[in-house]
């Protein structure tokens, strides 16, 4: 395995550790403070590898989760992980400000993929490339043309009222 791939995995591991130790406990406290009864519908926009699906299913076991992931590789993983759970619906769509298609820029760290074009002159992009041990021109690993819809249009088409 190349050094840059090792660095990328290391950074991903640090992010996962931060989420587990700091982010999700704070998020759990916030959602518990809302006093929701647990029969909630949750939209996970950019479901990635299912981190938020797992979090919300743990917090609200009776919830219905509608997950959106336009990356076909991650979509396949999500279907394998959650395809048998009737309370979780996974859609190969991107949620955007437009209904149609957009190009998804998958980065070497797929957690940060985006429909937005990268600003090549951004100091953030240059710093990110240094941390990951890659050239800024190779931050994008692939591009996918994806179907997109707006959240309001999706809710109308699927008769979701809340």
């Amino acid at each position: 395995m190349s050094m840059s791939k090792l660095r990328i995995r290391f950074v991903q591991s640090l992010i996962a550790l931060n989420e587990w130790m700091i982010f999700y406990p704070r998020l759990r406290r916030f959602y518990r403070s809302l006093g929701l009864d647990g029969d909630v519908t949750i939209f996970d926009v950019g479901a990635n590898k299912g981190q938020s699906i797992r979090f919300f299913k743990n917090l609200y076991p009776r919830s219905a989760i509608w997950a959106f992931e336009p990356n076909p590789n991650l979509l396949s993983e999500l279907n394998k992980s959650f395809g048998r759970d009737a309370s979780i619906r996974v859609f190969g769509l991107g949620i955007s400000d437009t209904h149609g298609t957009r190009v998804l820029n998958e980065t070497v760290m797929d957690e940060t993929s985006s429909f937005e074009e990268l600003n090549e002159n951004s100091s953030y992009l240059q710093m990110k490339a240094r941390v990951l041990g890659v050239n800024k021109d190779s931050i994008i690993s692939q591009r996918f043309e994806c179907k997109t819809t707006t959240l309001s249009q999706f809710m109308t088409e699927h008769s979701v009222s809340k």
Side-chain angles (χ1 to χ4, degrees):
M1 182 178 292
S2 72
M3 263 322 253
S4 63
K5 285 187 180 185
L6 282 173
R7 284 176 76 160
I8 291 166
R9 285 199 177 170
F10 178 70
V11 170
Q12 287 173 314
S13 296
L14 288 176
I15 291 169
L17 183 63
N18 175 65
E19 287 176 346
W20 180 71
M21 292 180 66
I22 299 169
F23 177 72
Y24 284 124
R26 287 180 180 176
L27 198 60
R28 185 175 293 106
R29 282 191 301 276
F30 169 76
Y31 278 104
R32 285 196 175 136
S33 76
L34 297 177
L36 301 174
D37 66 5
D39 283 327
V40 294
T41 299
I42 298 164
F43 287 167
D44 183 359
V45 176
N48 195 256
K49 295 178 180 101
Q51 306 93 309
S52 294
I53 294 171
R54 288 179 190 89
F55 170 80
F56 282 111
K57 264 309 188 186
N58 182 290
L59 188 61
Y60 301 116
R62 298 186 330 255
S63 65
I65 298 180
W66 299 48
F68 302 89
E69 180 52 60
N71 180 320
N73 301 322
L74 295 174
L75 179 65
S76 177
E77 284 185 42
L78 290 169
N79 283 321
K80 286 177 192 170
S81 297
F82 304 106
R84 293 192 175 123
D85 188 333
S87 69
I88 301 170
R89 297 180 64 187
V90 180
F91 299 89
L93 284 170
I95 300 298
S96 178
D97 60 347
T98 59
H99 180 78
T101 60
R102 293 196 61 186
V103 173
L104 178 69
N105 297 299
E106 180 185 51
T107 63
V108 294
M109 223 174 75
D110 58 33
E111 297 90 343
T112 62
S113 298
S114 176
F115 287 124
E116 300 302 319
E117 287 297 320
L118 297 181
N119 177 352
E120 298 286 330
N121 300 316
S122 159
S123 58
Y124 173 76
L125 179 65
Q126 293 168 11
M127 184 265 314
K128 182 177 178 178
R130 277 193 311 274
V131 167
L132 296 175
V134 298
N135 184 302
K136 71 175 183 163
D137 297 329
S138 62
I139 288 276
I140 295 177
S141 58
Q142 352 182 25
R143 289 184 165 83
F144 302 101
E145 188 165 298
C146 304
K147 290 182 183 179
T148 62
T149 192
T150 64
L151 199 52
S152 60
Q153 183 164 356
F154 180 88
M155 290 175 71
T156 299
E157 289 173 1
H158 290 84
S159 303
V160 178
S161 61
K162 61 177 187 169

